[in-house]
Amino acid sequence: MSTESWFDSNNRYLAASLEWLRQKLDHFILESAGESERDTPNPLQRWLGKAETRRPVSGAVKEALARREDAARSEPLPALLLMAQRLQLSVFERDTLLLCAAVEFDPGFAAMCTRAQGNARNYPTFALALAMLDDPNWDALSPHRPLRFARLLEINQPGATPLTAAGLRVDERVVNYLKGLNAMDDRLTALFHPMGEPAPLAPSQMEAATEVINRLRVAAEQGTLPVVQLAGVDAESRQAVAQQVCSALGRRLYRLSTEYLAATAPENESMARLWQRETLLLPVALYADAESAESASADAPGALLRFLSREVGLVFLGIRETPLRVGTATLAVEVHKPTADEQREAWTALLQSRPDQPDGEATAQLLAGQFHLNLHNIREAAASAGGASNGNFKAALWRSCRDLTRPKLDQLAQRLQPKATWNELVLPDEQFKLMRQIAGQVKERHRVYSEWGFRRSMNRGFGINALFAGESGTGKTMAAEVLANDLDLNLYRIDLSAVVSKYIGETEKNLRKVFDAAEQGGAILLFDEADALFGKRSEVKDSHDRYANIEINYLLQRIEQFSGLSILATNMKSALDPAFLRRLRFIVNFPFPSLKERKLIWQKAFPPEVPKTALDFDRLARLNISGGNIHSIALNAAFAAAADGQSITMPLLMNAARSELKKLDRPYNEAEFRA
């Protein structure tokens, strides 16, 4: 049946029902008027069995009932019958709902209510329904029956008014439904937001969606509906799987905004009941993210669990790892990002559409090897780079992928702008080769792990981590910049003040956010002063020692699981926990620069544009200072020269060097600074 035909049949049934109700009311009014002449009890007392038998039903009522029953035979069912079926309303409850809705459809029913009740009440009441409708049942007034539990009726019960005499009004959402307008309740639109069409899934993710569909169908046959808990670190992948499942089941998925979820129990209960009603009136399902609830407020997780403990239909709960106890049956399924091969295939398919990219396969391999993105992010990056010219498309695509992680990490760490290059890095040959090896391993990860099969025999350790150990000023941070510049990746220095917390468990949460945001592969993590975080575990003497050790143990696990490049910089290598040293792939010791290296650093300390005259680099190299101090001296001398309007000269440099040594409390021979 077409939508237009259903509206016609629904209107016909509604009209027949209202006519039947009008005849019932007329009959009841006449019956009440006759008994009033004999000074008989009121209608409610008559229903309680304390009066004479009612008059026989009139022929007009029977004829109206026959027309109503004839209109009810249409398929699909009219809205009132469909609601009665889905909410399991009794015949009396269904007709009580019709009585209350009649006032909304035809104002003339208000006057009939006044005549029927013999007072100023121009609205329906439970007393009137019990007295005039067929098969009356006192249980219909119970708060656990659908009329009140599902908020089908609004009860106006001021002061000491008895429940049976209280005014009844049909909820606006129910009135619209009976008319054939089946739209989400306005009170829920701020809390529940429709999610779009399902995004394409990778084959591995489609397997997870298929598993959920099959297990839900089995559960439905057994008469249960579990909460589906989708576990994984990527929120977008979890949502995509939930959308795919709902699409297959013919349901529309709504997202629960946990930040607006009421913390108070009565408001929470009211919203849960309204949503319960929606699940019976519309083919809908609910998606809630436990991680977003955790970050919204301290009360949000508890409010979410209280909400989900109700029977609120099909629910998908996004979690990170451990399934939550929601007070009902659960179904836990893991959802991961696409595998490296699936990401490469997705990149290849996108690049094949551009004829200007003949090396699309190589580019796809490069992107999949460096970045760990879901399909939505891959399409987003391609769309962002789509406007680039033919020659710059590959570089624009790389920048788009790199920039995807910035918004998350910018809140947790300090982003450094890498400017240093290999030409500016001065290190002994052994350390320089190690730096080149680090860069090479980052570039060739996909080839070794995926193409050469190492991934199949490894469960962890796909990332690359390195320790940069050496005195302050020996070039550790500069070396990290060189790597970030060469690899064209973001460099983030972890801000210990934003990560370390005095509250138990908060440090681990903050570190988890840092690692999760960097997992997509577009960032290098630099843990400066790493000994503050990665220090040795101590003997447990009190609770503080125990929780401090827990933080270190968590870091041990995450640094090994992290799939990107992480760099630990410290000038106190001996203070690090030995377990960290075992897990490190590279240890680069930054020695104090030798005479030869100091001369080279001095030569590279001045940009080509700097005016300088007759600098004796051999004499400068004899100053026993680190590269960081050399750069400070060169900069201070440049400012002094600019203030005097002259070039940088040896006297200016030696004066700046004398000040630097004084700042460091280092002894020096004044004769060395004389011209």
Side-chain angles (χ1 to χ4, degrees), residues 7-327:
F7 273 110
D8 291 340
S9 63
N10 184 66
N11 289 338
R12 185 168 61 253
Y13 175 80
L14 193 56
S17 296
L18 292 175
E19 178 59 27
W20 168 81
L21 185 62
R22 186 177 289 106
Q23 295 297 334
K24 287 282 290 183
L25 271 170
D26 280 338
H27 178 78
F28 178 76
I29 291 169
L30 291 174
E31 188 179 42
S32 299
E35 292 178 352
S36 177
E37 295 174 356
R38 300 192 299 271
D39 195 26
T40 55
N42 64 40
L44 185 57
Q45 288 176 325
R46 187 170 66 252
W47 173 77
L48 292 171
K50 298 178 181 178
E52 300 174 358
T53 306
R54 301 183 188 182
R55 294 179 180 179
V57 177
S58 67
V61 175
K62 292 180 180 179
E63 292 175 3
L65 179 60
R67 288 192 293 271
R68 183 192 189 193
E69 292 176 346
D70 180 64
R73 295 187 180 95
S74 61
E75 289 291 340
L77 289 175
L80 178 59
L81 296 181
L82 191 60
M83 176 179 283
Q85 182 185 84
R86 291 178 175 176
L87 275 73
Q88 299 181 353
L89 299 177
S90 66
V91 173
F92 173 68
E93 289 169 332
R94 179 198 67 192
D95 291 340
T96 299
L97 185 64
L98 175 65
L99 172 64
C100 299
V103 180
E104 303 288 342
F105 295 132
D106 184 354
F109 277 96
M112 298 183 72
C113 289
T114 302
R115 292 164 54 198
Q117 297 179 99
N119 50 39
R121 296 190 182 100
N122 61 346
Y123 45 79
T125 63
F126 277 125
L128 178 60
L130 288 167
M132 64 162 288
L133 295 176
D134 300 328
D135 303 322
N137 193 330
W138 191 270
D139 185 53
L141 282 66
S142 168
H144 302 292
R145 291 296 299 168
L147 288 179
R148 296 179 63 187
F149 185 85
R151 304 293 197 266
L152 301 183
L153 298 179
E154 298 175 4
I155 303 175
N156 182 19
Q157 192 178 5
T161 304
L163 177 61
T164 54
L168 303 180
R169 182 176 179 271
V170 177
D171 186 84
E172 181 183 357
R173 168 72 172 99
V174 177
V175 173
N176 290 332
Y177 183 85
L178 297 181
K179 293 177 181 177
L181 305 176
N182 196 7
M184 177 72 71
D185 194 318
D186 285 343
R187 288 165 292 185
L188 299 177
T189 54
L191 195 61
F192 303 91
H193 305 281
M195 301 178 69
E197 294 297 319
L201 298 180
S204 59
Q205 295 173 326
M206 185 60 74
E207 291 179 4
T210 302
E211 179 185 356
V212 174
I213 293 169
N214 293 336
R215 293 175 68 177
L216 280 177
R217 286 172 175 164
V218 171
E221 293 175 357
Q222 298 173 350
T224 60
L225 191 60
V227 173
V228 181
Q229 302 201 41
L230 302 176
V233 297
D234 185 43
E236 290 179 338
S237 294
R238 299 192 303 248
Q239 294 178 24
V241 169
Q243 288 174 285
Q244 184 63 43
V245 172
C246 287
S247 178
L249 298 178
R251 293 173 179 259
R252 187 171 188 183
L253 186 63
Y254 281 77
R255 180 184 179 86
L256 172 62
S257 298
T258 53
E259 62 271 22
Y260 299 123
L261 193 61
T264 59
E267 294 181 11
N268 197 307
E269 175 70 18
S270 179
M271 283 296 177
R273 292 192 185 186
L274 291 178
W275 177 256
Q276 281 178 300
R277 190 176 70 186
E278 291 300 325
T279 63
L280 298 173
L281 302 182
L282 286 169
V284 295
L286 183 62
Y287 181 87
D289 198 312
E291 284 191 288
S292 63
E294 182 179 339
S295 60
S297 67
D299 297 329
L304 175 61
L305 291 179
R306 285 193 298 272
F307 183 89
L308 297 181
S309 65
R310 312 299 185 210
E311 295 180 3
V312 287
L314 178 57
V315 175
F316 297 88
L317 182 61
I319 59 175
R320 179 179 170 80
E321 294 173 347
T322 307
L324 301 181
R325 295 182 179 181
V326 295

Side-chain angles (χ1 to χ4, degrees), residues 383-400:
S384 177
S389 60
N390 293 346
N392 297 327
F393 178 72
K394 182 177 179 181
L397 197 58
W398 182 277
R399 287 194 300 270
S400 297

Side-chain angles (χ1 to χ4, degrees), residues 401-595:
C401 295
R402 183 192 62 191
D403 294 344
L404 280 173
T405 59
R406 280 187 182 177
K408 297 179 181 178
L409 270 171
D410 282 346
Q411 303 171 6
L412 304 167
Q414 177 189 5
R415 181 160 61 92
L416 304 179
Q417 186 64 41
K419 296 180 179 179
T421 63
W422 290 109
N423 292 331
E424 301 170 43
L425 186 63
V426 179
L427 285 174
D429 290 342
E430 180 182 353
Q431 282 76 10
F432 198 86
K433 289 179 181 178
L434 283 175
M435 293 290 297
R436 287 288 190 182
Q437 287 183 34
I438 295 172
Q441 290 201 11
V442 173
K443 294 176 181 178
E444 299 297 335
R445 283 185 304 172
H446 181 77
R447 186 194 305 273
V448 173
Y449 289 144
S450 298
E451 294 185 13
W452 292 1
F454 275 84
R455 187 180 298 275
R456 293 194 300 270
S457 60
M458 297 173 61
N459 291 325
R460 55 188 178 179
F462 295 111
I464 298 169
N465 42 54
L467 173 67
F468 291 176
E471 295 182 26
S472 178
T474 52
K476 300 185 293 296
T477 302
M478 182 181 182
E481 287 188 30
V482 170
L483 287 174
N485 206 346
D486 180 56
L487 298 170
D488 197 10
L489 297 174
N490 295 316
L491 176 62
Y492 282 90
R493 179 163 54 195
I494 308 305
D495 185 358
L496 296 183
S497 65
V499 171
V500 178
S501 173
K502 64 180 181 180
Y503 298 105
I504 295 173
E506 287 299 315
T507 300
E508 291 91 326
K509 289 182 181 179
N510 294 334
L511 287 168
R512 185 190 70 187
K513 293 176 182 177
V514 169
F515 281 109
D516 286 351
E519 275 291 349
Q520 298 187 69
I524 298 173
L525 296 182
L526 173 62
F527 292 89
D528 208 359
E529 307 295 340
D531 47 279
L533 273 177
F534 299 83
K536 293 180 180 179
R537 285 166 288 187
S538 59
E539 181 183 353
V540 177
K541 298 180 180 179
D542 55 28
S543 60
H544 297 286
D545 294 334
R546 180 168 62 255
Y547 287 115
N549 288 345
I550 290 175
E551 292 180 4
I552 297 175
N553 292 335
Y554 178 79
L555 275 168
L556 283 169
Q557 297 172 10
R558 284 312 306 259
I559 202 74
E560 193 170 20
Q561 294 172 0
F562 180 54
S563 61
L565 172 59
S566 54
I567 299 173
L568 283 63
T570 181
N571 54 9
M572 297 179 62
K573 179 181 174 181
S574 59
L576 293 176
D577 194 290
F580 276 115
L581 300 180
R582 180 182 64 81
R583 287 169 167 81
L584 294 171
R585 188 175 298 186
F586 293 96
I587 297 180
V588 183
N589 292 306
F590 286 71
F592 195 87
S594 64
L595 181 68

